[in-house]
Amino acid sequence: MLVFNASEWINLIVRWTHVFSAILWVGTTYYFTWLDAQLRRSQRTGGDVWMVHSGGFYTVVKQKTLGVPPSDVHWFRWEAMVTWVSGVTLLLVVYYAGGLIVDASNPTVSEHVAKAIGLSALVVGWIVYDLLVRTPLVRTGWAFAIVALVLIVALAWGLRQVMSARAAYIHVGALFGTIMASNVWMRILPPQRRMIAAAARGEPIDPALGAGAKERSIHNTFIVVPTVFLMISNHFPTATYGNRYGLATMAVLIVAGWSAAAVLRRA
């Protein structure tokens, strides 16, 4: 007998959308990361970047100005939006509506309070990150990473006081996803729009616009790797959030993710 479970189908469809859009987003991000590195090498050697894929040969040249009408420029943006919206939907369906937001055996606060704190953490976390990037600390990568790690672990500890361990883990991952999506829509796309508008008017393009967008894009390549760790952690409770060293495990996973991203960026 076929049984239709609407909740499971919603969960499945949203989860599929989230995973597939994330693949497109992350794949595009790392492709351009690799491409930028190859273009820098080609500038030093005087050669071009050649690629082979799907039965054809391709070459890419980085332009300093716009050679086509703005309407002909392809934007990579909706992958980030769909990933974030589907991710937040999953958070609401699985944790906020699914009863997993607090520890059922020993809740320290009501579900409503935990939900309010969880959503606030996403907003405040983005604001803190955005302000931190504007400080001189960002010029020293290791110092920025240390401060960021301390703040992340402190946030996770605070969330753990009011949420289940699983929910605390997933909220840190959701914060990472929120930061990445906000970087795209609030700190990368607006400067690119101004660059395109200036080029269309025949005006010189301010290099600072591209530099600022590039900085946030680089941050996204580092954030995404530990984000994936955190998002799949709910499948491995004993190894991650479910053991007594859950916070330490999270810190190790984040550092490992950042280290892996550094290696990938050099590949």
Side-chain angles (χ1 to χ4, degrees):
M1 178 179 178
L2 180 63
V3 178
F4 179 78
N5 188 314
S7 177
E8 281 197 0
W9 275 105
I10 292 173
N11 194 318
L12 174 61
I13 292 171
V14 175
R15 196 177 296 270
W16 176 85
T17 302
H18 183 61
V19 171
F20 192 72
S21 59
I23 290 171
L24 295 176
W25 181 15
V26 176
T28 301
T29 299
Y30 268 100
Y31 168 70
F32 278 100
T33 298
W34 173 86
L35 185 59
D36 274 345
Q38 299 305 311
L39 288 169
R40 287 194 297 270
R41 292 170 187 166
S42 69
Q43 288 175 352
R44 292 194 298 267
T45 60
D48 296 324
V49 178
W50 282 84
M51 296 169 285
V52 59
H53 190 271
S54 60
F57 298 102
Y58 301 83
T59 182
V60 179
V61 179
K62 189 173 184 177
Q63 305 292 335
K64 295 183 178 180
T65 187
L66 191 64
V68 296
S71 58
D72 290 347
V73 177
H74 179 74
W75 292 76
F76 294 90
R77 52 184 173 178
W78 294 114
E79 299 90 344
M81 178 61 75
V82 173
T83 301
W84 184 79
V85 170
S86 58
V88 170
T89 302
L90 273 177
L91 182 69
L92 298 177
V93 170
V94 176
Y95 290 86
Y96 286 54
L100 299 177
I101 191 72
V102 297
D103 189 342
S105 62
N106 186 30
T108 56
V109 298
S110 69
E111 286 194 9
H112 294 299
V113 172
K115 292 173 184 177
I117 292 174
L119 294 176
S120 298
L122 302 185
V123 176
V124 175
W126 154 251
I127 294 173
V128 171
Y129 160 80
D130 193 49
L131 293 175
L132 195 62
V133 173
R134 300 167 187 265
T135 67
L137 192 66
V138 75
R139 298 174 193 154
T140 307
W142 63 267
F144 182 83
I146 290 174
V147 172
L149 182 63
V150 170
L151 292 175
I152 292 165
V153 173
L155 171 65
W157 180 87
L159 291 175
R160 184 63 187 91
Q161 306 310 303
V162 297
M163 296 180 181
S164 66
R166 177 178 174 179
Y169 254 65
I170 212 70
H171 272 78
V172 174
L175 171 59
F176 285 0
T178 298
I179 289 173
M180 289 190 294
S182 298
N183 272 342
V184 171
W185 280 88
M186 299 173 66
R187 298 295 179 258
I188 296 175
L189 293 180
Q192 289 180 166
R193 290 192 184 96
R194 292 195 288 272
M195 291 169 62
I196 289 177
R201 294 191 300 266
E203 300 174 356
I205 298 175
D206 182 2
L209 294 175
K214 185 64 178 177
E215 179 182 61
R216 299 303 181 109
S217 182
I218 291 173
H219 284 188
N220 279 4
T221 64
F222 279 92
I223 297 171
V224 68
V225 183
T227 301
V228 176
F229 271 137
L230 293 169
M231 291 306 180
I232 63 177
S233 65
N234 63 91
H235 298 289
F236 306 94
T238 304
T240 57
Y241 65 85
N243 68 69
R244 60 184 297 186
Y245 303 108
L247 286 180
T249 303
M250 176 187 290
V252 170
L253 289 176
I254 291 172
V255 173
W258 289 345
S259 301
V263 173
L264 289 171
R265 287 183 53 80
R266 295 190 182 98

